[in-house]
Amino acid sequence: MIPEIETQSAVKIKMFQELKLKEMLSYISEHSTYYKNLFKSENIKPSLIQTLEDLTHLPVTTKEDLQQHNNQFICVPNHKIVDYVTTSGTLGEPVIFALTDKDLDRLAYNEAISFACSGVQKDDVLQLMTTIDRRFMAGLAYFLGSRKLGSGIIRVGSGIPELQWDTIKKFKPTYLICVPSFLLKLIEFANQHDISLKDTGVKGAICIGEPIRNDDFSLNVLSEKITSAWDIELYSTYASTEMSTAFNECSEHQGGHHHPELIIAEILDAKNNPVKNGEVGELTITTLGVEAMPLLRFKTGDMVKAHTEPCSCGRNTMRLGPVVGRKKQMIKYKGTTLYPPAMYNVLNHFNEISCFVIEISHNDLGTDEILIKIATEHPSEAFLQEIKDHFRAKLRVLPRVEFHDKASLNAIRFPKMSRKPIDLIDLRP
């Protein structure tokens, strides 16, 4: 199930996107209060935007713009809105997103072709290990996408290893949709309860919310731990509520594939200009085919690298490498630039660490400080030194590391109303 446009040449894909861009600009010029006001105040004539390169003549849309003018982005009357979701609010106040029937159909199409990209077929059964409630778009998208593709889906929800294993035994799902670190909890439960991991029938896992690959697409520490214990294939995904679009890995595991019929993707530098090929920049997107809340040049805050060579899976679309980190979460520590995922990878090396929380703050001099709180059953000076040595070896810096009890850390990691664990707390102004 590869859409025809995704197998076309780069030239044809670009021409297709430029046609869709003109349609999108015409639509928001007529229906979006926010963009109508913006075009008027900036004296912008959308009709002059003819190519993807012309996008650089348009201002970007930021998360702050969405937060401050949320309702002005809605392009349809209330009676056309059939669903409301909110962003997770990781980097600020959650934003409300409205969806029409057409938007839900687009969401289903996106997830169906994304699942298919990761090898899911009609005769497969998916076990959904994330919430479908709490105004969460992803859980809804997975359900709608499975239905569109024709595969089965079991809505188990998050947590509760015993229920997950009971479901695996009863319904024999072939794919799991989950946060990858939860797979370690499933493995631990299986080992404690004499559940064989060799004959579960599970072929693969669609991994969400956490990185599973290094920059060169090799498995990171977390993924190696999973696959060394459980012989399943892991597929990386990248998505956000604002995009209503996913970038899923195919069987080649060389990055998440772009769907040019759904989204225009730019990789920009700090001055909002395209980076050179092979450089890391901020993913900035323009949604295509969205009816209720289309976005123009929206800066996601995620730092990524694009890969443009054709993939041996048959798709010729651009692919996104693993997210390096969030732009706002960049840390300047003792002369070294760090992003949290690099520290996650170091901490995931240690089986003895049951959970952790990273706190970033400013010291009296206004520079960044890092405090890592970890929980382990057997705290000792020797283990603390081992962690410090590993940080020096892998990242060439040594953050402050402290032992804390597991209950207090989990109280921080799972606040009320949170849809996912919080392992990073940024206290910087």
Side-chain angles (χ1 to χ4, degrees):
M1 185 181 176
I2 304 179
E4 185 178 354
I5 186 58
E6 299 186 20
T7 64
Q8 299 297 308
S9 68
V11 172
K12 286 189 176 180
I13 289 174
K14 183 174 184 290
M15 290 172 59
F16 172 86
Q17 288 220 298
E18 288 171 348
L19 178 62
K20 293 296 181 183
L21 173 61
K22 292 173 190 175
E23 293 173 0
M24 186 269 186
L25 288 170
S26 175
Y27 180 79
I28 61 175
S29 297
E30 182 178 352
H31 298 286
S32 171
T33 300
Y34 178 81
Y35 288 116
K36 278 193 287 188
N37 292 341
L38 179 67
F39 294 160
K40 184 177 180 180
S41 65
E42 299 287 332
N43 196 26
I44 294 169
K45 294 183 178 179
S47 59
L48 297 180
I49 305 301
Q50 298 290 310
T51 67
L52 296 186
E53 289 80 7
D54 291 340
L55 280 168
T56 57
H57 300 305
L58 298 174
V60 295
T61 304
T62 66
K63 290 180 185 286
E64 290 75 21
D65 294 329
L66 275 176
Q67 289 164 346
Q68 294 169 17
H69 309 284
N70 203 166
N71 289 337
Q72 290 185 25
F73 284 89
I74 298 178
C75 295
V76 297
N78 281 343
H79 72 266
K80 289 200 72 174
I81 299 171
V82 297
D83 192 68
Y84 292 91
V85 298
T86 54
T87 59
S88 58
T90 305
L91 298 178
E93 279 297 309
V95 172
I96 298 169
F97 268 82
L99 295 95
T100 65
D101 265 326
K102 181 181 176 183
D103 293 333
L104 290 181
D105 289 341
R106 179 188 176 282
L107 196 62
Y109 170 78
N110 158 76
E111 210 57 58
I113 61 175
S114 297
F115 280 151
C117 185
S118 296
V120 181
Q121 300 179 14
K122 287 186 177 182
D123 57 353
D124 282 306
V125 176
L126 298 151
Q127 183 160 325
L128 181 57
M129 297 183 176
T130 187
T131 182
I132 198 170
D133 55 6
R134 300 187 188 180
R135 308 192 301 257
F136 192 36
M137 177 182 276
L140 175 64
Y142 300 136
F143 176 76
L144 294 175
S146 173
R147 189 167 179 264
K148 176 79 172 176
L149 182 61
S151 58
I153 190 164
I154 314 158
R155 295 175 290 108
V156 184
S158 58
I160 320 177
E162 184 176 3
L163 178 59
Q164 303 291 355
W165 274 116
D166 180 68
T167 306
I168 291 170
K169 291 175 182 177
K170 285 181 178 177
F171 299 99
K172 301 294 182 185
T174 47
Y175 284 85
L176 311 176
I177 306 172
C178 58
V179 175
S181 57
F182 184 64
L183 291 173
L184 291 178
K185 295 186 183 299
L186 289 184
I187 292 168
E188 181 183 12
F189 185 92
N191 291 334
Q192 291 172 349
H193 294 83
D194 295 323
I195 298 172
S196 172
L197 293 168
K198 292 183 179 180
D199 52 6
T200 63
V202 176
K203 297 185 295 186
I206 310 294
C207 296
I208 64 173
E210 293 173 342
I212 61 168
R213 300 199 182 276
N214 299 311
D215 289 343
D216 63 356
F217 300 118
S218 61
L219 293 176
N220 64 14
V221 172
L222 173 60
S223 301
E224 286 181 341
K225 284 186 176 182
I226 295 166
T227 55
S228 64
W230 197 354
D231 185 20
I232 57 176
E233 196 161 0
L234 304 181
Y235 293 90
S236 177
T237 68
Y238 168 76
S240 73
T241 301
E242 295 91 347
M243 298 191 304
S244 294
T245 311
F247 290 76
N248 274 45
E249 279 186 339
C250 68
S251 58
E252 302 303 309
H253 302 290
Q254 294 295 303
H257 277 281
H258 171 220
H259 299 312
E261 64 270 50
L262 298 178
I263 199 168
I264 294 169
E266 302 173 84
I267 314 294
L268 303 183
D269 62 20
K271 296 182 179 179
N272 297 328
N273 294 314
V275 301
K276 294 177 182 178
N277 285 340
E279 289 186 353
V280 171
E282 184 175 2
L283 178 65
T284 301
I285 58 93
T286 296
T287 55
L288 302 173
V290 172
E291 187 174 37
M293 286 185 66
L295 296 178
L296 175 66
R297 301 197 84 203
F298 173 73
K299 300 186 74 176
T300 64
D302 292 319
M303 306 301 288
V304 298
K305 185 192 296 184
H307 299 263
T308 55
E309 64 276 9
C311 183
S312 54
C313 74
R315 295 172 178 83
N316 293 326
T317 52
M318 177 270 286
R319 302 182 313 285
L320 288 184
V323 174
V324 176
R326 293 277 181 93
K327 185 177 181 181
K328 284 190 175 181
Q329 292 174 346
M330 184 179 75
I331 306 161
K332 287 284 189 179
Y333 188 67
K334 298 183 179 178
T336 299
T337 298
L338 288 176
Y339 287 97
M343 291 188 284
Y344 298 161
N345 210 28
V346 172
L347 294 166
N348 285 329
H349 171 79
F350 296 96
N351 293 328
E352 299 91 337
I353 296 177
S354 55
C355 63
F356 60 82
V357 171
I358 299 173
E359 288 186 0
I360 311 168
S361 60
H362 275 167
N363 58 27
D364 293 339
L365 299 176
T367 57
D368 292 344
E369 288 289 342
I370 304 170
L371 169 61
I372 300 176
K373 300 178 178 181
I374 63 173
T376 179
E377 290 185 5
H378 303 290
S380 68
E381 282 300 317
F383 183 46
L384 190 62
Q385 189 59 48
E386 189 180 352
I387 295 170
K388 290 178 178 179
D389 289 344
H390 201 63
F391 265 98
R392 285 195 193 96
K394 294 296 183 181
L395 302 181
R396 300 189 299 279
V397 294
L398 179 58
R400 189 154 57 102
V401 183
E402 294 178 351
F403 290 123
H404 287 256
D405 69 274
K406 185 175 180 179
S408 66
L409 288 190
N410 277 333
I412 298 170
R413 295 178 68 235
F414 298 99
K416 274 189 173 181
M417 304 299 290
S418 177
R419 297 190 299 226
K420 52 189 177 183
I422 297 173
D423 295 322
L424 179 80
I425 298 175
D426 196 339
L427 302 173
R428 295 173 296 181

